[in-house]
Amino acid sequence: MMKAKTTDKIATFVICFFALFIVALLVGLLGFILARGVSHISFDFLTSAPQTLRAGGGIGPQLFNSVFLLILTLIITIPIGWGAGIYMAQYAKPGKITDFIRLVVEVLSSFPSIVIGLFGLLLIVNTFDFGFSLLSGALALAVFNLPLMVRTTEQAFRAVPKEQKEAGLALGLSKWKIITSILLPAALPSLITGTILAAGRIFGEAAALLFTAGMSTPPLDFTDWNPLHARSPINPMRPAETLAVHIWKVNSEGIAPDSKDIAAGASAVLVLLVLAFNLSARWFGRVVYRRLTAAKRMD
């Protein structure tokens, strides 16, 4: 009996130690990045264009490109990923075809991002002739994030208690009505979490975008919102250097006198952007969940 208690205490201590170690590692990493870069963040830094030779450049176009690319990628990824996950969870019958689809998803999820970038370069940029553009980058990142989205969606729907589905069938509801009115609201928190994970990868991805979205941004006219114009910021066919690519480029090729400060400030902005997106997305997910389930907050 004493041996079992001692073993339990040791196991609890080891688990708690590693959990605290991971938290401390994360806090230390974030603290180091923010401590180096927050002092360089200003309104001018966030809105002005970068400088190649002179000091004082900003990250305005790169910051906009990252957010716009995130929106484009999610527009492509969410319908396909959620649809495929719902199919695998609710419609696909056990068999060789279903097992093969799962195998393809698992293999695709293990591909390095540089391989996805080369695939995008050969197929999307060259074969489809989309060139180095936001759309090419969004399509490549969609391929990169689809396995995660499909897996999380399938697991979220399978985690819903079967009794809820059986209750819908007992009421005579159609399968699609059960999915949209019963299963989807219950699975929504997990779906939001999967989407957040995919979005975080979009913000931080650089390797795949080097070969698809490009490493430069043309001069943008933020008064022109016609997506067909070459200098329009919402033109999906223009090259677009994202914030993560810009950080890599400044660190490796930057020759401006303050290139290290620019990289530190851009890194801090990227971290804050990811944190803000995660918090806002979780808040939005809770709001949507309460509305779909008619749940009320208990005061």
Side-chain angles (χ1 to χ4, degrees):
M1 188 68 179
M2 291 298 295
K3 185 177 181 181
K5 289 184 177 180
T6 303
T7 304
D8 180 70
K9 289 181 180 180
I10 294 174
T12 303
F13 171 79
V14 172
I15 293 171
C16 292
F17 171 78
F18 283 116
L20 292 175
F21 174 76
I22 292 173
V23 172
L25 186 64
L26 177 62
V27 172
L29 180 62
L30 294 179
F32 176 75
I33 294 174
L34 295 177
R36 288 187 59 214
V38 167
S39 60
H40 304 295
I41 300 176
S42 64
F43 180 78
D44 182 68
F45 179 75
L46 295 176
T47 56
S48 61
Q51 297 290 338
T52 304
L53 300 176
R54 296 183 299 171
I59 57 170
Q62 288 74 21
L63 181 59
F64 178 85
N65 290 339
S66 296
V67 176
F68 188 39
L69 182 65
L70 169 69
I71 296 172
L72 283 179
T73 306
L74 291 182
I75 289 174
I76 299 170
T77 307
I78 289 177
I80 300 175
W82 286 15
I86 292 173
Y87 169 79
M88 295 297 293
Q90 300 298 318
Y91 291 95
K93 298 179 180 180
K96 292 183 178 180
I97 296 178
T98 302
D99 293 340
F100 178 73
I101 294 174
R102 286 200 177 92
L103 176 63
V104 170
V105 171
E106 293 296 332
V107 171
L108 190 60
S109 66
S110 64
F111 278 4
S113 59
I114 191 70
V115 175
I116 301 297
L118 291 172
F119 166 79
L121 174 65
L122 296 174
L123 183 66
I124 303 171
V125 176
N126 295 331
T127 304
F128 291 164
D129 200 24
F130 286 170
F132 292 105
S133 63
L134 280 162
L135 183 59
S136 298
L139 290 172
L141 289 181
V143 174
F144 184 64
N145 283 307
L146 273 176
L148 174 62
M149 195 76 76
V150 172
R151 285 205 312 270
T152 54
T153 302
E154 182 183 0
Q155 292 169 2
F157 273 82
R158 290 189 181 279
V160 178
K162 293 183 179 180
E163 290 77 6
Q164 296 190 26
K165 183 178 180 180
E166 293 171 352
L169 292 173
L171 293 173
L173 300 178
S174 65
K175 196 166 189 176
W176 179 246
K177 186 64 176 178
I178 292 173
I179 291 173
T180 55
S181 301
I182 298 177
L183 301 182
L184 180 60
L188 193 61
S190 297
L191 294 179
I192 295 295
T193 301
T195 304
I196 291 171
L197 291 174
R201 299 173 76 185
I202 294 170
F203 272 126
E205 183 54 44
L209 297 177
L210 291 173
F211 299 99
T212 53
M215 298 175 57
S216 63
T217 299
L220 301 179
D221 182 5
F222 283 92
T223 62
D224 182 5
W225 295 97
N226 188 335
L228 300 178
H229 292 174
R231 295 186 60 187
S232 172
I234 59 173
N235 179 6
M237 302 308 297
R238 65 174 177 84
E241 179 188 35
T242 62
L243 197 55
V245 173
H246 184 64
I247 293 170
W248 171 83
K249 186 177 178 180
V250 170
N251 272 317
S252 60
E253 302 176 1
I255 57 176
D258 59 345
S259 59
K260 291 185 178 180
D261 295 337
I262 295 295
S267 300
V269 171
L270 185 60
V271 168
L272 292 174
L273 195 64
V274 172
L275 290 176
F277 178 81
N278 275 264
L279 294 175
S280 60
R282 290 181 185 277
W283 170 82
F284 177 74
R286 287 195 296 268
V287 171
V288 173
Y289 175 72
R290 286 198 298 268
R291 291 189 177 183
L292 288 176
T293 58
K296 302 295 182 181
R297 292 185 65 179
M298 301 298 293
D299 295 327

